[in-house]
Amino acid sequence: MKKTILILTLLLSTLLTSQAQDLKIGYFSYNAVLRSMPAYSTAVASVDKLRQQYAAELEAAQKEFNEKYELFLDQQNKLAESIRQKRQADLQTLLDRNEQFKKEAERLLAQAEKDAMAPLHAKLKAAIDKAGQQGGYAVILNTDSEACPYIAPTLSEDVTATLLDLTK
């Protein structure tokens, strides 16, 4: 019985070692390939344009608030109590609206960036799948964020060039 277990263990060990040597592993930098795609600069430019529009609107709203606040500070001692309270409430409402717009602008910008990048991510995913199938890779690793601090060069292959060709 012990001999049978020993023989099975050795046989299994040999089998796993030979299969592991046959596995092909690819690696690449997702961000580098994504940024190299032709449509990337167009997507970034469109989001940046939208970001500039929101920034301009936020700046105009802040300027309006500052002007009204300064005017209020200059006049507050001369105003009747009820008028002063109304203007304070108006300023608070304006401040709240500006803050709400800022949060909404951030949300909309994040969504616009996600929407602009979605086709690029889909295209890159398809390229990774195709490279994996064509190259016979068992795994293709993303080396960004130091997720793979070491990859043995003799047991793996950089597929960046292949992916760049497939995403053109």
Side-chain angles (χ1 to χ4, degrees), residues 7-162:
I7 291 171
L8 286 174
T9 304
L10 288 173
L11 184 61
L12 184 60
S13 172
T14 304
L15 182 62
L16 289 176
T17 303
S18 68
Q19 283 183 345
Q21 289 173 352
D22 293 339
L23 292 179
K24 286 179 70 178
I25 298 172
Y27 63 90
F28 75 109
S29 167
Y30 191 95
N31 288 329
V33 174
L34 182 68
R35 290 183 181 127
S36 297
M37 294 173 70
Y40 180 80
S41 59
T42 305
V44 169
S46 97
V47 172
D48 283 347
K49 183 178 178 183
L50 186 59
R51 183 174 283 115
Q52 290 170 356
Q53 290 174 354
Y54 279 118
E57 185 61 29
L58 285 166
E59 187 177 323
Q62 184 65 41
K63 183 178 177 184
E64 176 189 6
F65 175 81
N66 289 342
E67 288 171 356
K68 288 183 178 187
Y69 183 68
E70 287 176 18
L71 181 63
F72 170 75
L73 289 177
D74 289 344
Q75 297 176 348
Q76 73 176 337
N77 292 335
K78 301 173 192 167
L79 299 173
E81 181 65 25
S82 61
I83 295 173
R84 185 170 55 244
Q85 288 177 354
K86 179 199 175 295
R87 289 198 183 167
Q88 284 176 331
D90 290 347
L91 285 169
Q92 186 62 49
T93 300
L94 185 58
L95 184 63
D96 292 344
R97 257 194 353 238
N98 289 350
E99 187 61 33
Q100 184 179 8
F101 177 75
K102 181 179 179 182
K103 287 178 183 177
E104 182 67 6
E106 289 170 358
R107 185 189 70 74
L108 291 171
L109 278 170
Q111 185 62 47
E113 185 171 12
K114 183 179 175 184
D115 292 346
M117 292 297 173
L120 293 163
H121 289 293
K123 186 174 184 177
L124 183 50
K125 170 72 172 107
I128 294 167
D129 291 345
K130 189 172 184 179
Q133 291 168 0
Q134 287 178 347
Y137 295 100
V139 176
I140 296 180
L141 302 171
N142 177 1
T143 59
D144 291 345
S145 304
E146 297 182 23
C148 302
Y150 176 76
I151 299 174
T154 57
L155 301 175
S156 59
E157 187 176 327
D158 187 348
V159 296
T160 301
T162 303

